[in-house]
Amino acid sequence: MPAEESEMTNAAASHLFPFDLPHRAGRLLGRLGAEHVRVHAITNAAAQNLTANLLLAAGAVPSLTTAPDEVPAFVASADAVLVNLGTLDTERRAAIPWAIAAARSGKKPWVLDPVFVHASPPRLALARLCLAGCPAILRCNAAEFAALAGAASEPEAVGAFAREHGTVVALTGAVDLVTDGERTLSIANGHPLMARVTAMGCAATALAAAFAALEDDAFIAAAASLLAVGIAGERAAERGKGPGTFPPAFLDALHALDSDALSTQARIS
Amino acid sequence: MPAEESEMTNAAASHLFPFDLPHRAGRLLGRLGAEHVRVHAITNAAAQNLTANLLLAAGAVPSLTTAPDEVPAFVASADAVLVNLGTLDTERRAAIPWAIAAARSGKKPWVLDPVFVHASPPRLALARLCLAGCPAILRCNAAEFAALAGAASEPEAVGAFAREHGTVVALTGAVDLVTDGERTLSIANGHPLMARVTAMGCAATALAAAFAALEDDAFIAAAASLLAVGIAGERAAERGKGPGTFPPAFLDALHALDSDALSTQARIS
Amino acid sequence: MPAEESEMTNAAASHLFPFDLPHRAGRLLGRLGAEHVRVHAITNAAAQNLTANLLLAAGAVPSLTTAPDEVPAFVASADAVLVNLGTLDTERRAAIPWAIAAARSGKKPWVLDPVFVHASPPRLALARLCLAGCPAILRCNAAEFAALAGAASEPEAVGAFAREHGTVVALTGAVDLVTDGERTLSIANGHPLMARVTAMGCAATALAAAFAALEDDAFIAAAASLLAVGIAGERAAERGKGPGTFPPAFLDALHALDSDALSTQARIS
């Protein structure tokens, strides 16, 4: 099939997808590099390297400092902020309120990733305080959601939680669920190897923050990031031979991702 | 050779190995994933990512927080604990006694890796206090052993040290030595490239902790982990082209390792 | 072409390069492994793993602790020190003055990498204090230099800054500039993918520290390290398929680098 015809076909197909998501994800990826979007990420020690490399592979510019006295200046020159609660040491615990305050003060979107919040009571308490700071997006898995919400992650409960907190919930699992309490999407992309690599979810949340810097509709930003990460994961699994070669292949695939690939492989409902 | 015949041959061969080690290592690897063994690892900053990925590749579930107020809860929901003394900052120094106390209180095995203890007097003092907390396994190299024991790492001295401290010593080097003071094994598997990658030894110790969660005999757990890591290293070196591509290949190889490969390649005496 | 003839040709060609740089870089690489050069690196959280692996791939031995009470002992047994100001938390902030003091007391070269100093006023203030501790080499990019020097990174300004502070400035970018205020070199090696991977520059600075342990002329040590890193980057880009597979390929290429490759590919003026 000639390239032009293929593009037309995929463009047509894309409009069949809810919210035209594949094309919007592709345009967001294209803009990340062109506009040098900067994301300040307070994230856990196992995720810092992969998070920075995911942002760079996608075209964005990361910064990672967790020092409380430096975070406000870094957030001031960033376009979006990621707050990930993993390896929550004294420094991160002190820095997070400043990061949230600086994001709110600068009217910049910030994204919350309440890693392992079900395993640590003090972390759960901090996560609840963070939620009061109005994250644009909350990215979590079912166990983390259940701890935060005090309810199982049924779609209705997730929607109600999103409405109550005025946030978009991106609940990841074998099938991802994204909802702002009014609109809901399911994304079935991804690959089981993604669960055999540390910090894949944490790093993916950074892409949601980068997209939220460009896209005012946080529901679209969250869904587009999960779609891009899921499809890059599928492409990496085609090349990868196991969990060790998967992350390098994933970053290569994300770097090469375009609207055409997103439209062809998207499994959204 | 047909598969069944090959299996029989290897099964037969395996019983020639001391303690039937290759088969026991293979069964431990199989159980790690089936039983979702959880390991809480307090480890150094250069090792955190590789340690988590090694555990995931082997089928276990890692957590890594070093925050003193969170460590007890994480250890309470884990099956084994790793204490690695690298990059021993204030947070880790404060967290380690809580991790050991929580492991002992929960009757969970814990493993000590006294990284670079010969290079730092305050770290050596802390390592000696840790030893009093009865680690199931002490994994170290010759220089670290010499600093801890005040004696060269001759087999007799290592055995005496293991008896005195009621621990299994896994002394790694070109040939690994494992002893509980009564039984002793030498494992000659491994590859020189493993010494050209940071944190390979640290990450390997995490597998010893995971195995100790499943195997009450810490001598077998320690030896099985060194055997699995050594053979995965040899298989990775066949594919790897240098120290950069080695770690991804190593994780792939560990993920794919089974009793058959372990029996075929084991060099134990 | 027979090997001997090739060597002669390249040796002849090499003498055409300023300061015979490719051969000197090749000899320094050869000596790193033979002499087990040790580098203590206080570096940022995203760079620690890659920095250690770069040093190991090049034949040196890294240590990474940031604990203030341990740094003096580690520096005392190291041959050179790297101080990188990224992720400048309380621990690193307290450790850095001890690292510099120990390096000066032991007459060991130390190298300063003032990461993101333009984005954080407290970090800029600390960097200026560090500069007063006489680093052998200052490695930075144009934005970092501008913040430190209060001047754009024109060659004359860079030279004047080097003279004023008695240091070698290694200013990296599409073309690298190395100057001690008297001598100046431009190195055009490298590949755009190096800017799409986190901590490549940080890790490269560690090689400058390792070379400075062997080569009293810090101008040569700095230039040789940038040449080796740039050429390893070009070789990696030939094999790499994107930013994810680039770092493993880079470490493989650095590990395999020799005088012959350095002479063939050097673009110095």
Side-chain angles (χ1 to χ4, degrees):
Chain A
M1 182 167 18
E4 277 179 34
E5 189 181 338
S6 160
E7 273 172 33
M8 287 175 62
T9 308
N10 282 316
S14 176
H15 291 294
L16 300 175
F17 287 113
F19 309 102
D20 194 21
L21 196 63
H23 268 185
R24 290 173 86 165
R27 279 196 300 269
L28 286 169
L29 277 175
R31 287 179 60 196
L32 274 191
E35 303 183 25
H36 302 293
V37 168
R38 278 197 47 198
V39 177
H40 188 73
I42 296 182
T43 192
N44 69 77
Q48 287 180 299
N49 188 274
L50 185 61
T51 299
N53 279 334
L54 182 148
L55 287 169
L56 287 163
V61 181
S63 57
L64 297 171
T65 191
T66 60
D69 64 342
E70 294 198 306
V71 159
F74 275 92
V75 171
S77 60
D79 302 301
V81 174
L82 167 67
V83 173
N84 174 301
L85 302 185
T87 63
L88 189 63
D89 55 21
T90 309
E91 194 91 16
R92 287 173 170 87
R93 184 177 283 275
I96 287 170
W98 290 110
I100 296 175
R104 286 168 65 88
S105 157
K107 301 195 189 312
K108 291 162 186 178
W110 74 277
V111 176
L112 179 63
D113 192 336
V115 179
F116 258 131
V117 81
H118 52 292
S120 165
R123 194 180 294 187
L124 180 58
L126 184 74
R128 290 208 169 110
L129 290 174
C130 288
L131 266 178
C134 301
I137 301 166
L138 168 70
R139 209 283 306 171
C140 57
N141 64 28
E144 292 153 359
F145 178 82
L148 273 175
S153 55
E154 300 302 318
E156 295 77 38
V158 179
F161 188 87
R163 275 193 305 276
E164 183 191 343
H165 292 277
T167 191
V168 171
V169 180
L171 189 79
T172 51
V175 173
D176 301 332
L177 176 78
V178 184
T179 181
D180 62 359
E182 306 295 332
R183 299 166 290 175
T184 297
L185 267 177
S186 291
I187 301 173
N189 292 100
H191 190 275
L193 269 179
M194 298 171 82
R196 300 300 285 270
V197 176
T198 195
M200 279 298 301
C202 302
T205 314
L207 190 63
F211 279 1
L214 296 173
E215 167 60 65
D216 286 340
D217 186 344
F219 173 76
I220 296 297
S225 70
L226 294 183
L227 181 68
V229 165
I231 292 177
E234 292 175 13
R235 302 204 138 204
E238 291 165 21
R239 269 178 54 196
K241 295 162 188 124
T245 43
F246 182 85
F250 170 80
L251 294 173
D252 284 2
L254 183 66
H255 184 63
L257 211 58
D258 57 20
S259 293
D260 209 50
L262 288 159
S263 297
T264 307
Q265 292 189 233
R267 286 181 287 144
I268 311 171
S269 61
Chain B
M1 183 167 21
E4 276 178 35
E5 188 182 336
S6 159
E7 272 171 37
M8 287 174 63
T9 309
N10 282 316
S14 175
H15 290 294
L16 300 175
F17 287 113
F19 310 103
D20 194 20
L21 196 64
H23 269 185
R24 290 174 86 164
R27 280 197 298 271
L28 286 168
L29 277 175
R31 286 178 62 196
L32 273 192
E35 303 184 25
H36 302 293
V37 168
R38 279 196 47 199
V39 177
H40 188 72
I42 297 182
T43 191
N44 69 75
Q48 288 180 299
N49 188 275
L50 185 62
T51 299
N53 279 333
L54 182 148
L55 287 169
L56 286 164
V61 181
S63 57
L64 298 170
T65 190
T66 60
D69 64 343
E70 295 198 305
V71 159
F74 274 92
V75 171
S77 60
D79 302 302
V81 175
L82 167 67
V83 173
N84 174 301
L85 302 185
T87 63
L88 189 61
D89 56 20
T90 309
E91 195 90 17
R92 286 173 170 87
R93 183 177 282 275
I96 286 169
W98 291 109
I100 296 173
R104 286 167 64 88
S105 157
K107 301 194 188 314
K108 291 162 187 178
W110 75 276
V111 175
L112 179 63
D113 193 336
V115 179
F116 258 131
V117 82
H118 52 292
S120 164
R123 192 179 297 185
L124 180 59
L126 184 73
R128 291 209 169 109
L129 290 174
C130 288
L131 266 178
C134 300
I137 301 166
L138 167 71
R139 209 282 304 170
C140 57
N141 64 27
E144 292 153 358
F145 178 83
L148 273 175
S153 54
E154 299 302 319
E156 296 76 37
V158 179
F161 188 87
R163 275 193 305 276
E164 183 192 344
H165 292 277
T167 191
V168 171
V169 179
L171 188 79
T172 51
V175 174
D176 301 333
L177 176 78
V178 184
T179 181
D180 62 0
E182 305 296 333
R183 299 167 289 174
T184 297
L185 267 176
S186 290
I187 302 173
N189 292 100
H191 190 274
L193 270 179
M194 299 171 81
R196 301 299 285 266
V197 175
T198 194
M200 279 298 301
C202 302
T205 314
L207 189 64
F211 280 0
L214 296 173
E215 167 60 66
D216 286 340
D217 186 344
F219 172 76
I220 296 297
S225 70
L226 294 183
L227 181 68
V229 165
I231 293 177
E234 292 175 12
R235 301 202 139 205
E238 291 164 21
R239 268 178 54 197
K241 295 162 186 125
T245 44
F246 182 85
F250 170 81
L251 294 173
D252 284 2
L254 184 66
H255 183 62
L257 210 59
D258 57 19
S259 293
D260 210 51
L262 288 158
S263 296
T264 307
Q265 292 188 235
R267 287 181 286 144
I268 310 171
S269 59
Chain C
M1 183 167 18
E4 277 178 35
E5 188 180 339
S6 160
E7 272 172 37
M8 286 174 62
T9 308
N10 283 313
S14 175
H15 290 293
L16 300 175
F17 288 114
F19 308 103
D20 193 21
L21 196 64
H23 268 185
R24 291 173 85 163
R27 278 196 300 269
L28 286 168
L29 278 174
R31 286 178 62 194
L32 274 191
E35 303 183 26
H36 302 293
V37 168
R38 280 196 47 200
V39 177
H40 189 72
I42 296 183
T43 191
N44 69 76
Q48 286 179 301
N49 188 275
L50 184 62
T51 299
N53 278 334
L54 182 148
L55 287 169
L56 286 163
V61 181
S63 56
L64 297 170
T65 191
T66 60
D69 63 342
E70 294 198 305
V71 159
F74 274 92
V75 171
S77 61
D79 302 301
V81 175
L82 167 67
V83 173
N84 174 300
L85 301 186
T87 64
L88 189 62
D89 56 20
T90 308
E91 195 90 17
R92 286 172 170 87
R93 183 178 284 276
I96 286 169
W98 291 110
I100 296 174
R104 287 168 64 88
S105 157
K107 301 196 188 313
K108 290 162 187 180
W110 74 277
V111 175
L112 179 63
D113 192 336
V115 179
F116 258 131
V117 83
H118 52 291
S120 165
R123 192 179 297 185
L124 180 58
L126 185 73
R128 291 208 169 110
L129 290 174
C130 287
L131 266 178
C134 301
I137 301 166
L138 168 71
R139 207 284 304 171
C140 56
N141 64 27
E144 292 154 359
F145 178 82
L148 273 175
S153 55
E154 300 302 319
E156 294 76 37
V158 179
F161 188 87
R163 274 193 305 276
E164 184 191 343
H165 291 276
T167 192
V168 171
V169 180
L171 189 80
T172 52
V175 173
D176 301 333
L177 176 78
V178 184
T179 181
D180 61 359
E182 306 295 331
R183 298 166 290 173
T184 298
L185 266 176
S186 290
I187 301 173
N189 292 101
H191 189 274
L193 270 179
M194 298 171 82
R196 300 299 285 267
V197 176
T198 195
M200 279 297 301
C202 302
T205 314
L207 189 63
F211 280 1
L214 296 173
E215 168 60 65
D216 287 340
D217 185 344
F219 172 76
I220 296 297
S225 69
L226 295 183
L227 181 69
V229 165
I231 292 176
E234 293 174 12
R235 302 202 138 204
E238 290 164 21
R239 270 177 52 194
K241 296 161 185 125
T245 43
F246 182 84
F250 170 80
L251 294 173
D252 284 1
L254 184 65
H255 183 61
L257 210 58
D258 57 20
S259 293
D260 209 51
L262 289 159
S263 297
T264 306
Q265 292 188 235
R267 287 181 286 143
I268 310 170
S269 58

